[in-house]
Amino acid sequence: MRKLLAPLAALLMAMGVLAVVLPSAASAAACATAWSSSAVYNGGAVVSHNGRNWSAKWWTQNESPGSAAVWADQGTCSGGGGGTQCNYPNWAAGTFYAVGSIVRYTDGNHYIAVHENPGYDPVISHWYWDPYTCSGGPGPTDPPDPSGFVVSQAQFNQMFPSRNSFYTYSGLTAALSAYPAFAKTGSDTIKKQEAAAFLANVNHETGGLVHIVEQNTANYPHYCDRNQPYGCPAGQAAYYGRGPIQLSWNFNYKAAGDALGLPLLTNPWLVQQDASVAWKTAIWYWMTQNGPGTMTPHNAMVNSRGFGETIRSINGSLECNGGNPGQVQSRINAYQRFTQILGVAPGGNLSC
């Protein structure tokens, strides 16, 4: 019967009755979910990148498939997850780019930073940049944290690659309940700008979340204001700077402790022993204190007064109005880097 079918098929095809689809080479596999520089992948995870599927050999984060040994090439792919979607900022000379940053160059192509750099040209500085393929609209994002915080754990780790293990992400998200309006007021843009502004100032105060306590021990005895009716029950030199915002002075420990329901006046060491307490004191200052400024840092951001006003509220008397422009610029640089990681414009009024 098989031999008789061939002439019949040929006759039917000649009559236009039968269309024959000739076998073709095996088509490419469907593309897995696109690789994301901020996502964490365990061994066995499969992603797509630059038109190919890749399998993770072990745990990895921010290691680009095709340029890191952790990824095993699984061959070409098409459709499916496809290339990472395009919603990346335009490259700007002089802007700091962390590893994993993706930009759109003036030629319309995209590039990913494989080494951090201060804004080197992607088409010239090939050691710092690799070509990056993407298409369409918004790309994949990290799963949202149950706390609803606009900064994911992967983004937090990218912001603070050398942080002290004391400053945990879980400690930060646990502290959010103390002030629910923090980074949850206004539009998504404002929420991200506020989170970036807070973390940029924290970055400056702690050297990148490295220092838990103030490093200049000679200052320790100065932070006791004995004119306060409650004095300094923990000792003359007990109220030195601690935590993400470097809380100092007995009256600040008293006010923060009263607001948070914590015995910080009598036990200021809690701020350097409990990550959640440390983060709570920083958010307390951010949400409730004008400092040397005219508004709280929270109000500065949610009312679009600009990042510069948060600097004024934290250390304005020493840094703003030409007091220490280098310190101000350090804070601005961190803010611009963090807003880039969060994919949001920094807004105006960056300096004070």
Side-chain angles (χ1 to χ4, degrees):
M1 288 294 293
R2 186 175 298 171
K3 290 183 179 180
L4 293 176
L5 288 175
L8 177 60
L11 175 61
L12 291 174
M13 190 166 60
M15 295 170 62
V17 176
L18 180 66
V20 175
V21 179
L22 297 176
S24 60
S27 58
C31 288
T33 301
W35 172 75
S36 170
S37 62
S38 59
V40 172
Y41 299 100
N42 294 317
V46 178
V47 300
S48 63
H49 183 61
N50 287 343
R52 306 183 74 83
N53 280 333
W54 303 84
S55 176
K57 301 176 185 177
W58 53 81
W59 185 98
T60 178
Q61 179 186 13
N62 201 20
E63 294 179 287
S64 175
S67 63
V70 62
W71 293 104
D73 190 351
Q74 303 297 304
T76 59
C77 67
S78 62
T84 300
Q85 306 292 309
C86 295
N87 65 334
Y88 300 111
N90 292 328
W91 169 79
T95 298
F96 176 86
Y97 292 105
V99 174
S101 299
I102 300 170
V103 297
R104 183 179 185 274
Y105 191 59
T106 54
D107 61 2
N109 294 318
H110 288 77
Y111 297 85
I112 184 170
V114 292
H115 295 92
E116 67 178 33
N117 66 89
Y120 294 142
D121 192 313
V123 300
I124 297 175
S125 304
H126 301 296
W127 192 79
Y128 294 95
W129 297 95
D130 276 347
Y132 188 80
T133 301
C134 62
S135 61
T141 59
D142 299 316
D145 186 86
S147 68
F149 192 38
V150 293
V151 180
S152 71
Q153 184 168 3
Q155 290 169 330
F156 178 75
N157 291 339
Q158 187 178 355
M159 292 173 177
F160 303 103
S162 303
R163 64 181 171 84
N164 191 304
S165 59
F166 172 78
Y167 291 114
T168 60
Y169 180 77
S170 60
L172 171 56
T173 55
L176 299 179
S177 61
Y179 291 93
F182 170 70
K184 291 184 181 178
T185 303
S187 66
D188 287 343
T189 294
I190 289 177
K191 293 173 186 176
K192 291 180 179 180
Q193 286 175 341
E194 181 179 9
F198 171 77
L199 293 172
N201 281 300
V202 161
N203 174 81
H204 181 82
E205 296 293 324
T206 61
L209 285 185
V210 172
H211 303 304
I212 302 172
V213 301
E214 184 175 352
Q215 298 301 288
N216 187 357
T217 57
N219 281 343
Y220 285 16
H222 299 161
Y223 297 122
C224 175
D225 180 1
R226 292 199 174 275
N227 292 323
Q228 301 297 331
Y230 42 77
C232 301
Q236 172 80 25
Y239 301 100
Y240 49 85
R242 295 179 177 89
I245 211 83
Q246 291 291 281
L247 185 72
S248 56
W249 290 97
N250 55 332
F251 48 82
N252 280 328
Y253 277 90
K254 174 70 163 60
D258 288 350
L260 299 169
L262 297 167
L264 300 185
L265 181 65
T266 56
N267 187 6
W269 297 277
L270 277 175
V271 180
Q272 68 190 74
Q273 296 168 345
D274 186 313
S276 179
V277 171
W279 284 113
K280 283 180 180 179
T281 63
I283 298 174
W284 164 80
Y285 189 94
W286 184 268
M287 298 296 293
T288 69
Q289 302 299 298
N290 292 353
T294 59
M295 65 190 75
T296 67
H298 170 72
N299 285 337
M301 295 309 297
V302 300
N303 293 311
S304 299
R305 295 295 296 274
F307 177 70
E309 284 301 316
T310 71
I311 304 174
R312 192 180 301 279
S313 298
I314 291 173
N315 218 18
S317 59
L318 296 177
E319 297 180 16
C320 295
N321 301 321
N324 195 328
Q327 297 292 302
V328 171
Q329 190 60 50
S330 171
R331 295 180 193 264
I332 294 172
N333 291 345
Y335 176 64
Q336 290 177 318
R337 181 161 60 91
F338 291 174
T339 52
Q340 183 182 54
I341 290 173
L342 296 180
V344 67
N349 301 320
L350 300 186
S351 185
C352 62

